[in-house]
Amino acid sequence: MHDLFIEIWESVRRNKVRTCLTGLAVAWGIFMLIVLLGAGNGLMNAFLSDSGEFASNTMMVGGGYTSKPYDGLKQGRRIALTDHDADLLKTGPLADRIDLVSSSVSRSGYTMTYGRRYFNNVTLNGTFPGDIEMNRVKMDAGRFINDKDISEKRKVIIITHLHAKNFLTGGTDYDKLLGQKVKVGNLSFTIIGVRHGMENEDDRDLYVPYTTIKSIFGLNDEVAGITFSFHGLTNEAESDAFENEVRTTLNTAHRAAPDDRRAVWIWNRFKQNLQMNKGRSILLTALWIIGLFTLVSGIVGVSNIMLITVKERTHEFGIRKALGARPGSILKLIVTESVLITAFFGYVGMLLGMIACQILDMTVGQSRMEMFGQSIKMLDNPTVGLGTAIGATVVLIVAGTIAGIFPAMQAAKVKPIEALRAE
Amino acid sequence: MLIELKNIHKTYDNGQPLHVLKGIDLEIEKGEFVSIMGASGSGKSTLLNILGILDNYDEGEYHLAGHLIKNLSERESATYRNQMIGFVFQSFNLIGFKTAVENVELPLFYQGMNRHRRRELAMGYLEKMGLTDWAGHYPNEMSGGQKQRVAIARALITHPEIILADEPTGALDSKTSVEVMELLTKLNREDGVTIIVVTHESGVANCADKIVHIKDGLIERVEDNSQHHSSMFGTTTIMK
């Protein structure tokens, strides 16, 4: 092995400029591949950063208006979901696949005061303990609503870290706020938790127990929406079938046509997630293909150079064969040289690509743009993972072998007499 | 019998068939020093290529040390060349980017011998050639005579059955030619190496004990030269 490397080093050393120029093409190809994949990842991460906040095996349902007459009732009738619907999901025909059910109801337009600090127009959101899991609520301090809060209708509240920061005049020791009282309207609540709100939108809802909000405001059994999680679905077809079952169940309970898609709105996060993943893999595949095509020009370059090298060294291979070199050993020499050149410059390109990704992350990755009235990140963590690096390594080795195999076969075919005659 | 050629025919077919060897019968014993002489186009180079398993032949049989050398695969012929034949060429055919000692080692590299053992043996042969101080030099730093001695060391290192020398003095001046031929003669006399020299120089051929004259693809005559009086220019010089 040592001898092989010495031989290759000699050959490379004698043709520094040529080897470097060829290597540049390979390095550029891999550089582009890594940067493209990194940017692609960043783009996907930026778009998906919202959906990442939810558990993907959930659906949300809300009331709508019927779009067709049914059972003697005219179209355009308002459907209001109630606690009864939540119970229906929990205990009805779909109960075996449904895990958590959480209804929500909200009231807005209140002012929250803490000492001399206040927030106008806050929204109180009555919810259940299951919400923390289904909506992936991140707690910065304290706890989320629990079953006892629900059953005892406790007047407890969860604020966001943005409120907390304001209350602490910029401090971040949120634990200090736990157990403190805030006033919402003229009602007093005890802070039991600080959740991590999203920076980029008006995610300032205050969470209180569902039962508390119902009793305080004397609300009827109407709910704003029901979120539930489920299990046992694997693909889009199953998801569609399940969604239809949910629709039929709820529509029937409200005397709407079972297939009326507007009577009850269903937001199927599972399906959305599947489609998102599909889109992601299509984008990544496209980027791989573009990157690989860029790399092909580099490979052709290496192959070309190896062909020239073989031509130049015909005489030498003739000597080697006369001295007893087997065709296989010459084949190995050229292929190894090709793989080493490709791998070395490929790694240089990969390294530069990763540095470029880091630079992207530090510059474009930190900037935001306005889109659909929201401020979103342009790129979020535009880097490639270990898997891609390993994949690129495999690509390099395969590419080097392919680039080397034809010139190597040429070299192995050299006839010693012809080579020795060519003097 | 070390070498046994029976009715060897060879035809090159480059558009027009060219019958180069028309039935060569030749026997060479172990330890002989033979020269093959002939005008250009006589077929002597082709004969040497066949002897060196660098080329194949169309008809007849070639036995080398008891092995029938016929229709070998590239792999087999490479192995035979490596183990049984040492080449000395007119243009030395050293590899330019390797030092003298690396050039000498090369046949052992293809035998898969480890680096240290190889280096040791190669240094030994260079010492025998009086080139110890030149071991680390590249071929372009050496004189023609030195290069040819490196080539001879390379040919000897695998203890081959025969040394095939193709115009070994062709690129050397007369003084160096004499030195190289004396070296080959000494190897033959003292170490019993079988040597076959192809040449068109009578002075070179005169060093051998037996001279095979080839003409138009046939052996014209085999001359016994044990008295070394064949050269018309005397026995100690090589006329250039």
Side-chain angles (χ1 to χ4, degrees):
Chain A
M1 213 53 196
H2 179 266
D3 297 291
L4 192 63
F5 288 133
I6 298 261
E7 298 259 351
I8 289 164
W9 172 243
E10 287 296 335
S11 157
V12 168
R13 202 175 53 96
R14 279 176 299 145
N15 302 300
K16 277 191 217 90
V17 175
R18 197 168 71 185
T19 309
C20 285
L21 281 176
T22 321
L24 203 67
V26 176
W28 178 250
I30 280 286
F31 175 83
M32 287 307 290
L33 180 70
I34 295 291
V35 171
L36 278 173
L37 290 175
N41 274 343
L43 208 62
M44 289 311 287
N45 290 344
F47 276 116
L48 295 178
S49 62
D50 283 354
S51 74
E53 302 295 320
F54 308 114
S56 60
N57 61 331
T58 60
M59 283 190 196
M60 274 177 86
V61 294
Y65 292 86
T66 55
S67 64
K68 51 179 112 175
Y70 183 75
D71 201 11
L73 297 166
K74 63 179 168 54
Q75 74 176 78
R77 185 169 58 94
R78 180 169 176 263
I79 303 289
L81 294 184
T82 64
D83 291 331
H84 177 72
D85 295 306
D87 291 337
L88 184 65
L89 290 170
K90 233 180 290 186
T91 58
L94 300 169
D96 54 333
R97 268 171 289 171
I98 291 176
D99 302 320
L100 296 166
V101 178
S102 169
S103 313
S104 73
V105 63
S106 63
R107 304 256 94 191
S108 19
Y110 296 98
T111 300
M112 173 166 67
T113 5
Y114 175 77
R116 292 168 66 188
R117 297 188 171 268
Y118 63 90
F119 283 92
N120 276 327
N121 198 21
V122 297
T123 301
L124 281 179
N125 209 339
T127 191
F128 283 91
D131 212 29
I132 188 169
E133 196 178 308
M134 288 188 285
N135 281 338
R136 295 254 166 89
V137 179
K138 286 192 217 88
M139 301 301 292
D140 281 347
R143 62 172 178 84
F144 198 68
I145 293 158
N146 62 22
D147 290 332
K148 239 177 178 167
D149 296 331
I150 297 287
S151 60
E152 292 176 11
K153 301 177 186 172
R154 285 173 177 167
K155 281 163 76 180
V156 292
I157 192 164
I158 287 150
I159 60 173
T160 73
H161 78 286
L162 296 160
H163 300 123
K165 222 178 239 173
N166 184 284
F167 292 163
L168 295 168
T169 58
T172 50
D173 188 10
Y174 305 141
D175 286 339
K176 272 191 203 154
L177 290 170
L178 302 178
Q180 302 286 318
K181 304 272 184 196
V182 287
K183 281 188 90 171
V184 179
N186 49 15
L187 297 162
S188 178
F189 288 88
T190 307
I191 299 173
I192 54 163
V194 177
R195 75 180 176 92
H196 198 89
M198 275 183 244
E199 306 271 353
N200 59 347
E201 59 182 79
D202 302 323
D203 179 28
R204 305 282 163 89
D205 286 4
L206 303 163
Y207 286 178
V208 297
Y210 180 81
T211 47
T212 312
I213 202 167
K214 282 263 159 151
S215 68
I216 289 173
F217 297 105
L219 300 173
N220 59 18
D221 61 356
E222 190 178 331
V223 298
I226 302 170
T227 308
F228 59 93
S229 65
F230 47 82
H231 62 265
L233 302 189
T234 52
N235 56 40
E236 223 173 304
E238 283 177 30
S239 160
D240 284 342
F242 182 66
E243 187 183 318
N244 283 334
E245 283 182 66
V246 171
R247 178 174 292 113
T248 307
T249 308
L250 293 177
N251 283 7
T252 310
H254 290 273
R255 286 178 70 196
D259 59 346
D260 191 341
R261 303 183 72 87
R262 293 194 180 174
V264 172
W265 291 102
I266 297 182
W267 182 21
N268 188 343
R269 284 170 178 163
F270 182 76
K271 185 174 175 181
Q272 199 185 18
N273 193 53
L274 281 179
Q275 286 168 341
M276 204 86 92
N277 285 342
K278 205 161 140 193
R280 187 193 183 104
S281 66
I282 289 172
L283 178 68
L284 284 182
T285 309
L287 292 176
W288 264 103
I289 290 171
I290 295 169
L292 289 178
F293 274 117
T294 315
L295 191 61
V296 163
S297 63
I299 302 305
V300 170
V302 172
S303 201
N304 224 335
I305 285 304
M306 295 312 294
L307 268 178
I308 293 173
T309 306
V310 165
K311 262 257 146 31
E312 279 184 1
R313 294 174 69 182
T314 301
H315 183 63
E316 177 202 328
F317 293 140
I319 299 173
R320 286 172 185 273
K321 286 188 115 180
L323 297 180
R326 284 186 278 272
S329 79
I330 290 184
L331 198 80
K332 195 168 80 178
L333 184 70
I334 298 299
V335 170
T336 315
E337 178 170 338
S338 168
V339 169
L340 282 184
I341 291 178
T342 315
F344 175 76
F345 285 98
Y347 264 94
V348 171
M350 200 189 295
L351 202 70
L352 291 178
M354 283 175 171
I355 291 170
C357 283
Q358 291 299 328
I359 293 171
L360 264 183
D361 192 19
M362 284 187 290
T363 54
V364 187
Q366 301 308 312
S367 60
R368 296 174 168 279
M369 60 178 175
E370 289 293 320
M371 208 179 195
F372 310 125
Q374 282 187 356
S375 158
I376 64 162
K377 272 186 162 184
M378 272 159 67
L379 294 174
D380 187 11
N381 191 21
T383 52
V384 294
L386 186 66
T388 310
I390 292 170
T393 309
V394 171
V395 165
L396 281 175
I397 291 171
V398 170
T401 311
I402 293 172
I405 199 86
F406 294 108
M409 276 155 61
Q410 201 87 7
K413 268 197 306 211
V414 166
K415 287 234 181 300
I417 27 169
E418 279 159 30
L420 295 174
R421 195 185 296 150
E423 175 71 344
Chain B
M1 202 59 61
L2 182 63
I3 289 176
E4 207 176 348
L5 295 177
K6 265 187 221 152
N7 193 30
I8 297 288
H9 282 263
K10 173 74 180 175
T11 303
Y12 287 114
D13 195 2
N14 295 326
Q16 206 166 358
L18 185 65
H19 201 177
V20 183
L21 298 182
K22 301 167 180 165
I24 298 278
D25 293 286
L26 183 63
E27 292 184 351
I28 294 172
E29 298 273 7
K30 195 169 171 55
E32 275 193 289
F33 190 164
V34 179
S35 68
I36 299 174
M37 277 197 83
S40 59
S42 61
K44 63 182 194 300
S45 290
T46 306
L47 180 59
L48 185 89
N49 287 338
I50 289 170
L51 286 172
I53 325 179
L54 293 168
D55 206 349
N56 48 12
Y57 50 94
D58 305 324
E59 235 180 87
E61 278 186 0
Y62 168 25
H63 287 271
L64 173 59
H67 303 276
L68 174 64
I69 307 297
K70 194 166 192 178
N71 300 327
L72 299 179
S73 70
E74 283 240 38
R75 237 185 114 82
E76 287 166 330
S77 51
T79 308
Y80 278 131
R81 279 199 297 269
N82 184 265
Q83 288 171 356
M84 304 211 282
I85 297 161
F87 290 98
V88 177
F89 300 97
Q90 174 177 4
S91 50
F92 322 123
N93 281 332
L94 299 175
I95 293 176
F97 59 89
K98 287 180 178 292
T99 60
V101 68
E102 284 168 352
N103 267 291
V104 176
E105 279 177 10
L106 204 56
L108 297 180
F109 168 68
Y110 288 117
Q111 288 186 357
M113 187 183 283
N114 83 54
R115 209 144 38 93
H116 299 289
R117 180 101 189 85
R118 231 159 60 200
R119 183 56 55 98
E120 208 178 297
L121 280 171
M123 286 308 293
Y125 275 93
L126 281 178
E127 196 186 340
K128 208 169 167 180
M129 298 293 139
L131 288 170
T132 311
D133 295 340
W134 294 84
H137 286 252
Y138 290 93
N140 60 9
E141 297 164 348
M142 291 189 272
S143 70
Q146 287 169 329
K147 281 192 253 191
Q148 199 58 300
R149 277 184 284 159
V150 172
I152 291 169
R154 183 179 65 182
L156 288 171
I157 199 159
T158 55
H159 299 291
E161 302 287 343
I162 46 171
I163 297 280
L164 288 179
D166 185 8
E167 303 277 10
T169 60
L172 304 174
D173 60 41
S174 53
K175 183 169 171 285
T176 327
S177 297
V178 171
E179 283 170 18
V180 166
M181 288 320 293
E182 278 171 356
L183 178 60
L184 288 177
T185 310
K186 196 174 137 214
L187 286 170
N188 175 254
R189 298 275 186 284
E190 293 175 10
D191 302 338
V193 182
T194 312
I195 297 175
I196 300 173
V197 178
V198 168
T199 186
H200 62 268
E201 291 177 43
S202 60
V204 170
N206 192 35
C207 299
D209 301 325
K210 195 157 106 181
I211 302 175
V212 177
H213 292 272
I214 294 200
K215 195 175 177 186
D216 298 329
L218 284 168
I219 292 179
E220 193 185 29
R221 67 195 162 94
V222 178
E223 179 186 350
D224 176 27
N225 189 38
S226 48
Q227 303 309 310
H228 301 286
H229 48 59
S230 137
S231 172
M232 53 187 119
F233 305 106
T235 51
T236 53
T237 58
I238 291 169
M239 189 64 194
K240 284 280 164 182

